Amino acid sequence: EAGVAQSPRYKIIEKRQSVAFWCNPISGHATLYWYQQILGQGPKLLIQFQNNGVVDDSQLPKDRFSAERLKGVDSTLKIQPAKLEDSAVYLCASSLSPGPADTQYFGPGTRLTVL
Amino acid sequence: AQSVTQLDSHVSVSEGTPVLLRCNYSSSYSPSLFWYVQHPNKGLQLLLKYTSAATLVKGINGFEAEFKKSETSFHLTKPSAHMSDAAEYFCVVTPASNTGKLIFGQGTTLQVKP
């Protein structure tokens, strides 16, 4: 079974530039999550999708971050404009359905450095 | 609000000796709890989970954890450490809404010395 795919793996940008990350979940997984992991901390949920609808985006900085999951499969996360504090690893995860019974599978992440 | 506190930011053991990674949780209800492991340059992997069934949970690679409600703890143990166990470990709780959102602790770095 193929895992969660993310690209790019690394990205370096200047502050105030824009950047986009892509995630392809495990086939058949209806629930998709984006987490932000700042160096030395545990991941923090940014947004959760169920199919192509948003379930939770309470911790997404909506003035600069946006995410979409068209057709309920792939997802993109965008930052515009980027700030220095956005430097982090952005993790995508997917599960068959929401709730603790179904395991979340994580991708390798995209490491973003904002200079 | 639900949260977890990992009591040690760094644990160092010798190969072949027991491992204990400590986690306390805060929750006003009976939570679901997890341990995830993160090896360098690899994705997070689920070690084990507790979802209100047996309080002693066995996971992959010989790890296990015991849910103790009276102590609000969910410590991770392994009888004998292996070099390949060196990694970052996260204790995780789900909120009452049970939407699937995971709330991670700060992490514990496990170092295994030869």
Side-chain angles (χ1 to χ4, degrees), chain A residues 6-78:
Chain A
Q6 290 188 247
S7 67
R9 292 294 310 276
Y10 305 91
K11 190 74 177 178
I12 300 174
I13 61 172
E14 303 270 336
K15 61 182 179 183
R16 291 187 289 273
Q17 285 186 323
S18 62
V19 65
F21 313 128
W22 173 81
C23 172
N24 180 236
I26 293 173
S27 178
H29 281 196
T31 313
L32 186 146
Y33 311 80
W34 283 102
Y35 290 85
Q36 179 192 57
Q37 185 177 17
I38 294 172
L39 186 65
Q41 299 181 18
K44 179 185 77 173
L45 180 72
L46 291 176
I47 188 167
Q48 176 185 346
F49 292 94
Q50 178 65 19
N51 296 309
N52 59 354
V54 175
V55 173
D56 184 346
D57 63 357
S58 56
Q59 297 192 88
L60 187 74
K62 298 181 186 63
D63 58 333
R64 298 184 299 106
F65 285 65
S66 65
E68 60 183 9
R69 191 183 183 199
L70 300 176
K71 301 180 182 179
V73 181
D74 293 6
S75 177
T76 56
L77 176 69
K78 296 179 182 177

Side-chain angles (χ1 to χ4, degrees), chain B residues 63-82:
Chain B
F63 284 94
E64 63 181 38
E66 187 171 7
F67 174 73
K68 292 187 176 180
K69 187 174 182 178
S70 60
E71 300 176 10
T72 61
S73 69
F74 190 59
H75 302 334
L76 182 70
T77 60
K78 183 174 181 178
S80 176
H82 191 273

Side-chain angles (χ1 to χ4, degrees), chain B residues 8-21 37-40 63 80-89 107-114:
Chain B
D8 306 291
S9 59
H10 187 97
V11 170
S12 181
V13 301
S14 297
E15 190 175 22
T17 64
V19 175
L20 171 63
L21 304 183
V37 62
Q38 188 173 38
H39 287 93
F63 284 94
S80 176
H82 191 273
M83 295 297 292
S84 61
D85 294 328
E88 189 80 10
Y89 291 80
T108 298
T109 303
L110 176 64
Q111 180 187 23
V112 182
K113 297 177 289 186

Side-chain angles (χ1 to χ4, degrees), chain B residues 14 30 40 54-55 66 87 91 99 101 104:
Chain B
S14 297
S30 186
T55 56
E66 187 171 7
C91 183
T99 58
K101 174 180 180 178
F104 285 76

